[in-house]
Amino acid sequence: MKILGRLAVFPTIPPRIERLYELAYNLWWVWNPGVQALYAQVSADLWERTEHNAVATLAGANPERLEALATDTEFLARYDAVLAEFDAYMNPTSTWFSERHAPDHERVIAYFSAEFGLHESLPIYSGGLGVLSGDHCKEASDLGLPFVGVGFLYPQGYFRQRLNREGQQEAIYEKLDFSQSPAQPARDPYGREILISVELPGRSVFAKIWKIQVGRVPLYLMDTDVPQNSPADRVLSARLYGGDQEMRIAQEIVLGIGGVRALRALGIDASVWHMNEGHAAFLGLERCRELVNGLDVDFEVARQIAAANAIFTTHTPVAAGNDVFSFELVERYFSSFWPQLRLDRDAFMDLAREEARWGSGFSMTVLAIRLSARRNGVSRLHGHVSREMWSFLWPDIEASEAPIGHVTNGVHTASWLSPTMGALYDRYLAPGWRGDVDNPDRWRRVADIPDEELWEAHQEVKEQLISYARRRLARQRARHGEGPAIMSAASVALNPEALTLGFARRFATYKRATMLFRDPDRLARILNDPERPVQIIFAGKAHPADAPGQDFIRQVYAYAQTPEFAGKVVFLEDYDIDMARRLVSGCDVWLNTPIRPHEASGTSGQKAGLNGLPNCSVLDGWWEEGYNGGNGWAVGERRSYMDADTRDAADALALYETIERAIAPLYYQRDAEGLPRQWIAVMKESIRSVAPEFSMSRMVKQYYTEYYLPAIRYGERVDAHHYALARELAAWSRRVRAAWSETRVEAEGPSGERLSEGEPAEVRARVWFGALTPDDARVELVTARDENGILRDQRVTGMTLVSEGAPASDGAYAYVARMDALHTGGVVYGVRLVPSHPGLSSPFELGLARWA
């Protein structure tokens, strides 16, 4: 058959429960267990077989079963309660946003991401970046932000993982049936389905826009599998992170340029443009193109306008995680685009030029930085690493002052808290805690939870995890055609009473999943200790093109089959959101062993901490700021190594020592009632310290107050009076850059002297501005504490213009500042000249400085 289309024929639902359809098409249900229970009651078998897909469960429901539920008093009571909760959520009397930022309710935030991890039944995510994007949308909904998401609806999604008998990963792609997904065609203000197009070499590529409702937030996703496209272009958006560089740049053009056009077609005029990773950076070029042509301005004015309300979040300190395209490839795709920006080839390439050891290329991260006024990393340590990593873009200023901040990632509490633990918190935390999860005072009441109840709840979730793991192992072994003995072993794998470590994440090599096996004999002794047995559950996917990552999976799988590790080390295939929820709540300890500082943030450990699991991790990413000495264990030191083997050996040794001497003894230390009281204290501290500070609620509020709202206000300033500030800044920037080589600074002050603490010293400077004036720049005294060549606690003091602002006969202006001996010990200082304009979004936007 030549298939023209697919339809889903739904059974007629009795009017009494007909709003089950409405609930299914709003993903509010994915973080509300009460709604999920309704669909599971429609058909427990369908609910499991469809991977908890509410739409597919309804589509396959038995009509007689639906008729019976429509008269089931108990079901109807739950149904009515759920609907009352849903209606109250969708039509709130107030939200965090409406209470604090009501005047900005029409200032829409457009959030672009290449992937959105919302639920296991919608596999359009690959890992942490997508799950973070999904959680961001959910929390924006909870808080009531005017927010829209933009991305791709990949028909084949990300791959399903299967391991063969040798532990080799096999990637299986399954086509998503849109008719049984919560996606519906997006429509313009006139009710028409939306089809946008972008220009690729020699043709136009079209994309249909789909809409998925996530609570109060709409998510608009593009799909190129439409009849208007050639067969090659129809599969352009088929898979997440599939194909070669040619497909990658085409996808990112559709995401960035096409995403802007999709919002225009929808009639959405965004006030904030948030690029979640560099994949979406082309959106800035499209906005500049619109401005150049619509306002008849040059590119620099357009860039000032577009960057003013644009935000860029970088997620990886690993070079391979930042897309860089060859100039030849970019020329092929953009040779007809840069004339629309009124740029030539060299000027266009310079927008994103990155010099690396292998040569130079067009960096999407550099482009995103250049086309945004605000940028951030995703943890405190990652912010520091990002400033160092991209400091070459501001060559004249200290890396520590590069205009890249940080917002530490968080997790959506309702999505990741197990129902069992949630019910426990409901009993002992103050009423209303679910709407106030970022408030530390709420979580101090965790101390009031009786030890026996917390332990009982955790053991219940742990037993559920082990039953689930055994089922997954049995299914995997049956597929391999194993015999009765091996199948029987699956049913008794893992011991519910044993200390259980969890390690589940993307199998990138820098995450070092095999580090535990560096000394197999020692690990075997730890796991097989008759008094204090330990077991480990592994899960995770490696990118289909990542051969070393796949080899790590094969190695772990091979160890799991050996006699000394069998049943105590298991690898669960096909890691997804459902499995993640079970692991981060059912293990005893969450393990993380990245190469410091390569873990930008990581959020799985935050989910574990929320559920009472202590973390055992290298001090990297979020754990660098989350670890407090009482909520888990730190592996290794806050340092870097010149030699990789020395580093891995030191970290592996530290991990073995921590498990043997700290974790296992504490876990198995029981009182007369059989309770590990001190272990439970660590669990409580994990909950208390992690749940509020690393919640998505805290994160989104921080984004709004520190990034979104300033972007709105700065955008308003730039846009005012027919973009007068943008025009002024563009002209001023050109003038400053042209004249900067003429500037010169000389300074004098104490050197080699000893000062008493608190004793002041005077520093004087003489500045030649050339064609500039003192109003174009500021003169600064910079001091720092010198710790054996490492400068800390840098402080900046503006120097005062003296002599009534008149220059000397040689054209120099005189400046003075008082330097206080702020620190005991070694102090260094310097004097610099930096451009200054009241309209700059950052004092170092131009990246220029002249040092005395």
Side-chain angles (χ1 to χ4, degrees):
M1 176 190 294
K2 183 177 180 180
I3 298 174
L4 295 178
R6 296 181 184 275
L7 301 172
V9 180
F10 287 77
T12 301
I13 295 187
R16 180 63 177 86
I17 56 173
E18 64 184 359
R19 291 188 69 190
L20 283 174
Y21 273 133
E22 181 184 352
L23 289 172
Y25 278 93
N26 188 317
L27 290 189
W28 175 79
W29 65 260
V30 307
W31 67 92
N32 286 276
V35 200
Q36 297 164 29
L38 293 180
Y39 294 108
Q41 198 167 348
V42 169
S43 171
D45 178 61
L46 267 177
W47 181 245
E48 290 300 322
R49 283 196 290 112
T50 62
E51 295 181 286
H52 315 129
N53 182 333
V55 176
T57 297
L58 284 183
N62 184 306
E64 288 77 16
R65 175 60 177 165
L66 293 173
E67 291 289 350
L69 290 174
T71 58
D72 185 316
T73 305
E74 184 179 339
F75 179 87
L76 292 176
R78 286 199 297 269
Y79 170 80
D80 290 340
V82 162
L83 277 178
E85 186 180 355
F86 176 68
D87 289 338
Y89 181 90
M90 295 301 294
N91 302 282
T93 55
S94 68
T95 64
W96 174 84
F97 181 85
S98 69
E99 289 174 359
R100 291 163 178 79
H101 304 284
D104 293 307
H105 69 279
E106 293 183 351
R107 305 293 193 185
V108 175
I109 300 148
Y111 179 86
F112 283 63
S113 184
E115 50 177 302
F116 288 87
L118 297 158
H119 190 254
E120 60 269 19
S121 64
L122 196 63
I124 56 173
Y125 63 95
S126 72
L129 177 70
V131 171
L132 182 90
S133 300
D135 277 11
H136 200 132
C137 291
K138 294 172 186 177
E139 192 63 51
S141 171
D142 288 346
L143 296 176
L145 269 63
F147 191 95
V148 300
V150 180
F152 278 120
L153 186 61
Y154 304 96
Q156 295 179 28
Y158 202 50
F159 70 94
R160 304 295 302 268
Q161 181 196 53
R162 295 288 180 267
L163 302 186
N164 65 21
R165 295 188 67 173
E166 288 71 45
Q168 186 63 43
Q169 173 180 284
E170 298 174 347
I172 310 241
Y173 290 91
E174 298 176 350
K175 188 170 176 63
L176 179 66
D177 185 353
F178 290 173
S179 67
Q180 296 195 31
S181 79
Q184 296 179 299
R187 299 182 183 277
D188 67 17
Y190 302 100
R192 300 170 300 200
E193 291 190 9
I194 296 173
L195 193 71
I196 59 95
S197 67
V198 298
E199 295 72 39
L200 296 184
R203 81 270 190 201
S204 291
V205 171
F206 296 85
K208 181 176 180 176
I209 313 302
W210 296 83
K211 177 184 176 182
I212 292 178
Q213 194 67 33
V214 185
R216 305 179 186 114
V217 164
L219 176 56
Y220 296 105
L221 303 174
M222 290 171 284
D223 171 29
T224 62
D225 187 12
V226 294
Q228 291 85 346
N229 289 332
S230 68
D233 288 332
R234 291 187 73 151
V235 299
L236 185 63
S237 65
R239 297 178 181 178
L240 176 61
Y241 304 143
D244 55 13
Q245 287 285 87
E246 190 102 20
M247 179 170 281
R248 188 67 166 255
I249 194 172
Q251 284 187 333
E252 295 185 0
I253 288 170
V254 174
L255 175 61
I257 296 176
V260 173
R261 294 177 184 180
L263 291 183
R264 302 301 187 212
L266 287 159
I268 296 172
D269 184 18
S271 296
V272 176
W273 301 78
H274 189 169
M275 296 172 276
N276 192 43
E277 197 51 278
H279 310 122
F282 289 139
L283 77 83
L285 293 179
E286 173 65 5
R287 293 184 65 211
C288 287
R289 185 194 66 79
E290 292 178 332
L291 291 162
V292 166
N293 291 278
L295 299 179
D296 192 26
V297 296
D298 65 23
F299 175 78
E300 183 55 28
V301 174
R303 190 197 68 79
Q304 291 283 352
I305 298 169
N309 59 0
I311 295 162
F312 168 56
T313 299
T314 176
H315 285 266
T316 175
V318 181
N322 295 274
D323 286 340
V324 180
F325 300 114
S326 71
F327 292 128
E328 292 75 18
L329 182 62
V330 172
E331 182 170 13
R332 190 156 72 251
Y333 277 81
F334 282 93
S335 59
S336 63
F337 193 94
W338 65 65
Q340 300 178 61
L341 300 175
R342 300 183 186 176
L343 295 176
D344 60 22
R345 180 189 185 279
D346 290 344
F348 182 82
M349 297 303 179
D350 286 345
L351 283 174
R353 186 180 299 274
E354 180 182 0
E355 304 290 343
R357 286 173 296 179
W358 49 264
S360 59
F362 191 95
S363 165
M364 296 297 286
T365 300
V366 172
L367 182 66
I369 288 173
R370 288 246 166 87
L371 296 178
S372 58
R374 287 167 177 78
R375 313 105 183 165
N376 69 282
V378 289
S379 70
R380 184 173 62 200
L381 178 60
H382 181 231
H384 169 76
V385 171
S386 296
R387 287 187 288 276
E388 294 281 345
M389 189 172 180
W390 304 106
S391 62
F392 68 87
L393 295 173
W394 301 275
D396 295 339
I397 66 172
E398 298 292 327
S400 62
E401 294 179 302
I404 302 175
H406 80 274
V407 177
T408 302
N409 284 345
V411 299
H412 186 244
T413 303
S415 292
W416 296 103
L417 180 62
S418 81
T420 301
M421 294 299 287
L424 181 66
Y425 297 168
D426 284 340
R427 292 200 297 275
Y428 290 99
L429 301 188
W433 71 270
R434 289 180 181 268
D436 194 26
V437 294
D438 60 324
N439 183 350
D441 291 337
R442 297 279 189 177
W443 296 95
R444 292 191 180 97
R445 298 188 65 169
V446 167
D448 299 335
I449 300 176
D451 287 355
E452 57 273 17
E453 290 195 40
L454 179 58
W455 187 245
E456 181 182 352
H458 174 66
Q459 288 299 103
E460 178 184 330
V461 179
K462 182 178 179 180
E463 289 173 6
Q464 292 170 357
L465 167 64
I466 289 176
S467 295
Y468 167 84
R470 288 170 175 173
R471 293 195 303 271
R472 296 294 294 251
L473 288 171
R475 187 191 313 166
Q476 180 177 329
R477 292 175 182 180
R479 196 183 70 250
H480 292 166
E482 301 287 4
I486 300 296
M487 291 297 298
S488 178
S491 65
V492 293
L494 302 172
N495 175 5
E497 302 301 323
L499 170 62
T500 304
L501 311 181
F503 184 101
R505 52 189 38 84
R506 184 165 54 91
F507 263 63
T509 52
Y510 77 84
K511 294 178 183 284
R512 297 190 295 182
T514 58
M515 195 177 84
L516 264 172
F517 301 96
R518 187 176 179 90
D519 185 344
D521 292 337
R522 185 169 184 180
L523 180 62
R525 291 195 299 272
I526 293 172
L527 268 55
N528 291 289
D529 186 321
E531 300 298 323
R532 300 189 300 215
V534 180
Q535 57 197 11
I536 313 167
I537 303 177
F538 285 91
K541 297 176 179 179
H543 189 282
D546 182 6
Q550 293 180 51
D551 189 57
F552 272 25
I553 292 175
R554 186 192 57 74
Q555 291 180 47
V556 172
Y557 183 85
Y559 278 116
Q561 312 312 308
T562 61
E564 60 266 44
F565 295 129
K568 299 177 180 65
V569 174
V570 300
F571 191 103
L572 302 181
E573 67 181 7
D574 205 23
Y575 184 47
D576 66 359
I577 286 177
D578 179 46
M579 186 184 293
R581 278 197 304 267
R582 297 170 186 271
L583 289 168
V584 297
S585 58
C587 293
D588 293 310
V589 176
W590 199 250
L591 192 62
N592 194 21
T593 54
I595 297 171
R596 176 186 163 96
H598 289 179
E599 183 83 284
S601 178
T603 57
S604 61
Q606 299 171 349
K607 297 159 192 165
L610 168 68
N611 283 286
L613 276 64
N615 276 261
C616 175
S617 174
V618 169
L619 287 164
D620 198 9
W622 79 277
W623 190 234
E624 162 71 24
E625 56 199 273
Y627 173 63
N628 67 11
N631 58 357
W633 297 271
V635 175
E637 303 174 0
R638 287 183 169 94
R639 56 167 293 187
S640 298
Y641 292 83
M642 294 295 293
D643 177 68
D645 191 63
T646 301
R647 174 202 64 215
D648 291 348
D651 286 349
L653 179 62
L655 180 57
Y656 293 142
E657 293 280 330
T658 301
I659 296 172
E660 285 180 317
R661 300 188 179 185
I663 297 177
L666 193 68
Y667 182 83
Y668 284 104
Q669 182 182 330
R670 308 295 168 98
D671 66 5
E673 297 176 334
L675 291 175
R677 299 281 183 182
Q678 293 185 43
W679 181 272
I680 293 170
V682 177
M683 291 177 66
K684 288 183 176 181
E685 179 60 15
S686 178
I687 298 166
R688 185 204 64 78
S689 62
V690 173
E693 182 61 25
F694 300 99
S695 67
M696 185 59 63
S697 179
R698 185 274 310 157
M699 189 195 97
V700 173
K701 289 177 182 178
Q702 186 178 353
Y703 265 113
Y704 194 84
T705 56
E706 296 182 14
Y707 286 82
Y708 296 158
L709 190 57
I712 290 170
R713 296 293 176 257
Y714 187 55
E716 290 171 342
R717 286 182 61 201
V718 169
D719 291 355
H721 309 297
H722 197 54
Y723 308 101
L725 180 56
R727 297 170 194 271
E728 178 186 337
L729 281 172
W732 175 83
S733 298
R734 281 192 291 267
R735 183 167 60 83
V736 169
R737 290 187 186 280
W740 195 251
S741 61
E742 303 171 15
T743 61
R744 183 159 60 94
V745 183
E746 293 180 357
E748 59 182 16
S751 183
E753 300 177 15
R754 295 182 179 178
L755 301 177
S756 299
E757 186 174 2
E759 180 182 354
E762 191 173 79
V763 178
R764 292 186 170 272
R766 302 179 74 227
V767 180
W768 288 263
F769 286 96
L772 303 180
T773 73
D775 291 335
D776 292 319
R778 66 182 183 277
V779 185
E780 298 177 335
L781 171 66
V782 184
T783 63
R785 185 158 47 91
D786 185 2
E787 294 184 355
N788 298 319
I790 299 175
L791 303 185
R792 303 187 186 280
D793 299 329
Q794 179 173 300
R795 298 187 183 184
V796 178
T797 304
M799 300 188 72
T800 302
L801 178 63
V802 296
S803 303
E804 298 179 352
S809 59
D810 61 356
Y813 288 81
Y815 287 80
V816 67
R818 196 177 82 162
M819 177 175 63
D820 294 318
L822 300 174
H823 312 284
T824 56
V827 174
V828 297
Y829 70 92
V831 172
R832 70 184 178 191
L833 179 72
V834 294
S836 177
H837 189 288
L840 290 175
S841 62
S842 160
F844 303 113
E845 184 176 320
L846 270 63
L848 298 174
R850 179 77 65 200
W851 288 86

